[in-house]
Every structure is written in C-alpha cells, then in structure tokens.
Amino acid sequence: MTITTQKPLVRIEGLHKYFGPHHVLRGIDLTVNQGEVSVVIGPSGSGKSTMLRCVNLLETISAGRISVGDQLIGYREVNGRLHDLKVREIAAQRREIGMVFQRFNLFPHKTALYNVMEAPVQVKGKSKSDAKKAALELLDRVGLADRANHYPAQLSGGQQQRVAIARALAMEPELMLFDEPTSALDPELVGDVLNVMKDLAKSGMTMIVVTHEIGFAREVGDRLTFMDGGVVVESGDPREIIANPQHARTKEFLSRVL
Amino acid sequence: MDHHQPGHAAPVLNDAVPVRHPGRWISAIVIVGVLALMVQSVITNHNFRWDVVGTYILDVKVVQGVGWTLLLTVASMAIAIVLAILLAVMRQSDNPVLRYTSWVWVWFFRGTPVYTQLVFWGLIAVLYPKISAGVPFGPELFSVDTSTVITALVAAILGLGLNESAYLAEIFRAGLKSVDKGQTEAAEALGMGKGKIMWRIILPQAMRIIVPPTGNETIGMLKTTSLVLAVPFTLDLTFATNALANRIYLPVPLLIVAAIWYLVITSLLMVGQHYIEAYYGKGVDTNLAPAVINPAAAKAAAAVAPSAEAEPSLKMDFPEDEAK
C-alpha cells in the first residue's frame, strides 16, 4: 500500500523469551522496513504480544537481539559482551517508540488533552502552550478535538483508544507498536480506530500491528506474519498469504477467523 | 436509537402503589423516645455541671491545649506522611537493601506500643547526653546537648510521627498496589522516568485509596496525642483539662469540655477530608451522567427525528442541564 524505502528500521533476530520455565518465544526473526506496516496475527498464546512488548522492553529479552534504527534495544555491546542499559537509557530508547495497548491505559485522572500533553511536557520539556497546541492538533487528527476536556471515563472505548494513539504520537516516535488495539472494543467502534490507523499508515509511519483484524492486514499491511507456538510460521505479502496460505496451521487459523 | 414512535402521544406513566414500610415508623418512634429520655437526663442531672462546662470551654489553658494538640497532630502526621511515602516506595524498590530496611522499620515501630516509644523519646537525653556528628572512628565535626535539641515537644512529635509512619506506610503500600499495572507500562512506553511515573501517574491515582484510611489515622492521631504525658509533654488538651479538673475536684464537666473540643476538631478534619477526596477522585468518582458525553449528538439526533412532535419528549431523555 505505502511506498517503502526498503531501509530496515526494526530488526528482530533470534528472539527468545522465557517466563520462568515457559519458553514463550522460540527464535523470532522479523525485519520491518522504514514506512512499512507489519501485521502480526496468530492464536492467543502464540507469543505475538510478548514479541511486541520486547521491542520497547516492557519484557526483558532472554536471548537474541532487537534493534530499532541504529540502536540495540536494552543493551550496550562492549567488546562482544552485552551490558544492561540503565533505566534512564531505556527510557530514552522508548521515547522513539510509541505504543498503543489493548486496554488503552489512558491516565484516568487526566483529561484527554492532558493525557496527550503529559509526555511532551514532562519528558521532552516542551512548553505547556506548545504542547497544548500540538495535542489539540493530534486530537483533531483522530477526530476528537471536541473531546479534549473529557476524562477517559467520559469517553467510549473507541474514543479512548484514539486518544491513546494521539498520546503516543505526541512524542513524535519513529515507530508505532499496536498491541491488539481493537480487541477490547465493541464491534461498532472498531472501524473508527482502524481508520485512524489507516491514515497513520498512509502518512508513512512505520508500524507493527498485532491484531485479529484480517481485513486491516489485507487492506493496509505491507507484510503479514503468522505466529504460532512462539515461532514465525509464515511471513510475506498479506494478500497472498490470506488468499493462499502455505502452511496447514496458517490455513486452519485463517479459516477460523475469516 | 430512537424508541419513540414519532407522532404518537406520550406514554401514560405507571402509577403503582408503593410498598409500605411500617418498620421504619416503629424504629423511628423507639429511637426518638430513647433520645428524649437521654436528653432529659443530661439536662436535669446536676452532676453534669453544665455551668462549669460553660465556664471552662473557652478557658485560656483549654484553648491553648487545643492549639498544642492541633500542632502535635499536624506535625506528627506531616512527618508520618513523608516517611510513609518513602517507606512505601522503598518497599517496592528493586534494591533489596531498601526493601528490607522498610520492612524492619514497619516491623519495629508497629510492633512496640506508642506509649513505650514516647517514654523512650523522653529519655533519649539520658541515653545520649550529647548528639555529635563526625566521621566514624575519626574526628568529631560538631556536638550539642541532646536536651536542647530534643525538647519535650520535639520528643512528642518524633515519637508520634515515627510510630504513625509505620501504619501509614502500609496504607500507602496498599494504595500504590491498587493502581493498575497498565498505568506504569503506558507511562514507561512514553519514556517517562521512574520518579515522574510515581509522582505524576501512580501516586495521584493511589491517593483515592490512600486518603480515606489516612483521614481515619489523622483522627486517631488527634486522640493519641493525649498520650504525650508519657514524654512528659504537659500542654495538650487532655492534660490541660485533667489539670483543671484536679484543681476544682470536678472531673465530669472538664471531660465534657475535652470531648466537645475533640469532636469539633474531628468534624473539621472530616470536612477537609471530603474536599481532598473530591480532588483526587476527579475523572473517576465524579458522577458522569450519559448526557455529559454527548449533548451535541443528542441535539443532532433530535434535529433529524422525522417528526417535530417527537422533540419535546426527546428533550426529556437528554437533560442537558444536568451536564453542567
């Protein structure tokens, strides 16, 4: 859909994740080019959300490497040995990566406007008036300019999720992660959120989207990855995979969700 | 979305006979009767000596006692709150030294009686006649007499404050734990640092849980201040009224004087707590009528309703006045 420059922005190489004895990710490789929309699907428990959370270090990386741009996520490599980054350095890496959660996670004690302004003011040190202007523009972009002074509890799920997208965009990230952004929404509210995501994709944002929305993958995705049991089963052009899945497991999954 | 039948008459509302509640009337009569008897006895029993209550309620010593009691309450709660935040955050820290230190602090100050601790603070000058600071096993930098620094007032405030910090630390810990983990993750994903996440995201939300029991503790502290004679600190309300009672051999009216003042202060604290709760409940506890969400859309819906006659009843469904 979008014109990609074929310059890799995200590289996930040999990613493993253990939760105690559970081997959740068993060697994931995934590359996302600049401006690309990479859609990840798979049954629940397949590890797709865990993989996404590793990209901005909400989960530690048990084995393997993730890099975004020229930055190795979570570590510094000195003489072939990995050193953990300090909390402050991790925070700096996260500033370049926006994340949208399944359960929105808006700050309930702040209005939509202040949710969006919070990080630019507190993290980037922007002036309140600049941050407010930018936040109102972002809220307008997600169709919620008239809801700026509403608290999250006064907004529908779809509106909350769009505020959450605006909040992530306010940090001007180079990469956006979407962790099942429409799974907690009533069916009639899904469309508004997907439309905002489509617009974002058109604007050239690099996106990794974990979702169950096959229609979104087909329409907007540049690449579709099917995960199951902690491994990548199949990855490629979304329209080809959906029309003609190569693996039995992919076929079975698609037959159930389509 | 429109359940109305445009053009039809408004429905006839059900006029059902409500259920009767004879129990309410009986209990009201019983309670009013008992109350009347109590009021009568309180007024007619001369042993209450209301004239003495009237004489001493605004006595200089009593009013000063109220002042000292308030000072003790406010100062020791302030110390306790600051320490409690610190202890609760330490308890959640990744640093095991801080975690265990916090645990031991709570264990010790909660595990010994506040009376014992107050006596101990009163005796600190006996244990350590001088307070000095210096390098361990090295030169001394300065030294002062303990009794000039730890006066009876300071000892009382420290004793009450440190003891209370242990209880408040547990209240704060419960409050911090009550905030959804997704809040921390969302703030982390925005690149916020640990301190900012705690102060701007977690603590303000935890305060909703923390304020009511802390108000409870403050009222408890108001009355615990009467134990400061253990230090001994002898200016607080209870000591002042006791001293007056012993002088005039009339304990009952002066107990009533003290009780009245404690009730007045407690009532004022409750008003304060109400406003603090309202402040930290914003966005969550505020009553969010559905009309608030979308008065404009309600108007638009009314406008596109096929029949003009339907409009008056539609207005009833969306009481925009309540939105303000």
Side-chain angles (χ1 to χ4, degrees), chain A residues 53 56 58 87 91 94-95 97 99 101 105-110 118-119 122-123 147 150-151 153-154 167 171, chain B residues 180-183 185-194 196 200-201 204-205 282-284 286 288 292-294:
Chain A
R53 289 164 60 84
N56 71 352
L58 288 179
V87 175
R94 284 174 175 147
R95 274 164 223 167
I97 305 170
M99 177 136 185
F101 298 86
N105 295 346
L106 288 181
F107 306 134
H109 58 305
K110 292 179 186 289
E118 178 70 15
Q122 294 300 324
V123 179
R147 295 288 180 276
H150 286 57
Y151 285 99
Q154 293 168 305
R167 179 177 70 175
M171 287 299 283
Chain B
D180 181 45
K181 212 168 156 276
Q183 293 291 309
E185 288 188 349
E188 280 177 349
L190 288 167
M192 292 176 79
K194 275 189 167 180
K196 288 241 160 97
R200 298 195 52 85
I201 306 300
Q205 295 183 54
K282 69 179 188 252
V284 184
T286 27
L288 307 164
V292 173
I293 291 177
N294 211 342

Side-chain angles (χ1 to χ4, degrees), chain B residues 174-313:
Chain B
L176 295 181
K177 277 175 90 169
S178 75
V179 179
D180 181 45
K181 212 168 156 276
Q183 293 291 309
T184 308
E185 288 188 349
E188 280 177 349
L190 288 167
M192 292 176 79
K194 275 189 167 180
K196 288 241 160 97
I197 295 175
M198 178 56 68
W199 280 106
R200 298 195 52 85
I201 306 300
I202 306 301
L203 203 53
Q205 295 183 54
M207 288 305 276
R208 269 185 68 244
I209 308 295
I210 291 170
V211 170
T214 301
N216 214 13
E217 289 293 309
T218 308
I219 289 166
M221 175 62 85
L222 175 72
K223 289 167 295 177
T224 308
T225 56
S226 61
L227 292 180
V228 292
L229 97 133
V231 170
F233 181 83
T234 55
L235 295 167
D236 73 293
L237 179 57
T238 294
F239 196 94
T241 50
N242 271 345
L244 288 170
N246 292 342
R247 204 166 68 202
I248 60 176
Y249 301 109
L250 286 171
V252 171
L254 280 145
L255 282 176
I256 293 172
V257 167
I260 289 171
W261 275 111
Y262 283 120
L263 269 175
V264 166
I265 301 170
T266 301
S267 308
L268 292 177
L269 289 175
M270 285 166 71
V271 173
Q273 182 182 340
H274 171 82
Y275 284 103
I276 297 173
E277 275 182 37
Y279 175 80
Y280 283 110
K282 69 179 188 252
V284 184
D285 294 334
T286 27
N287 191 21
L288 307 164
V292 173
I293 291 177
N294 211 342
K299 252 189 198 156
V304 292
S307 160
E309 285 112 35
E311 254 196 274
S313 55

Side-chain angles (χ1 to χ4, degrees), chain B residues 58-71:
Chain B
L58 292 173
D59 184 273
V60 179
K61 281 259 188 277
V62 171
V63 174
Q64 282 176 344
V66 170
W68 285 111
T69 291
L70 274 176
L71 176 73

Side-chain angles (χ1 to χ4, degrees), chain A residues 112 136 139-140 142-150 155 159 162, chain B residues 292-294 296-297:
Chain A
L136 286 172
L139 286 172
D140 189 40
V142 300
L144 292 171
D146 56 335
R147 295 288 180 276
N149 294 320
H150 286 57
L155 300 171
Q159 292 172 334
R162 285 184 279 153
Chain B
V292 173
I293 291 177
N294 211 342

Side-chain angles (χ1 to χ4, degrees), chain B residues 12 23 55 81 86 93 129 152 162-163 176 195 204 231 241 258 265 281 285 298 302 305:
Chain B
V12 178
T55 311
I81 286 171
L86 205 67
S93 166
L162 298 194
N163 178 74
L176 295 181
V231 170
T241 50
I265 301 170
D285 294 334

Side-chain angles (χ1 to χ4, degrees), chain A residues 82-156:
Chain A
L82 291 179
H83 296 251
D84 284 331
L85 289 184
K86 291 178 187 153
V87 175
R88 186 183 302 243
E89 295 166 321
I90 293 169
Q93 287 187 335
R94 284 174 175 147
R95 274 164 223 167
E96 306 297 323
I97 305 170
M99 177 136 185
V100 175
F101 298 86
Q102 181 178 352
R103 304 216 46 91
F104 330 134
N105 295 346
L106 288 181
F107 306 134
H109 58 305
K110 292 179 186 289
T111 60
L113 177 66
Y114 278 88
N115 263 278
V116 180
M117 284 170 62
E118 178 70 15
V121 172
Q122 294 300 324
V123 179
K124 277 194 166 170
K126 262 196 186 181
S127 77
K128 273 205 171 164
S129 58
D130 286 355
K132 185 173 176 184
K133 206 168 141 252
L136 286 172
E137 275 167 24
L138 280 167
L139 286 172
D140 189 40
R141 189 167 156 193
V142 300
L144 292 171
D146 56 335
R147 295 288 180 276
N149 294 320
H150 286 57
Y151 285 99
Q154 293 168 305
L155 300 171
S156 74

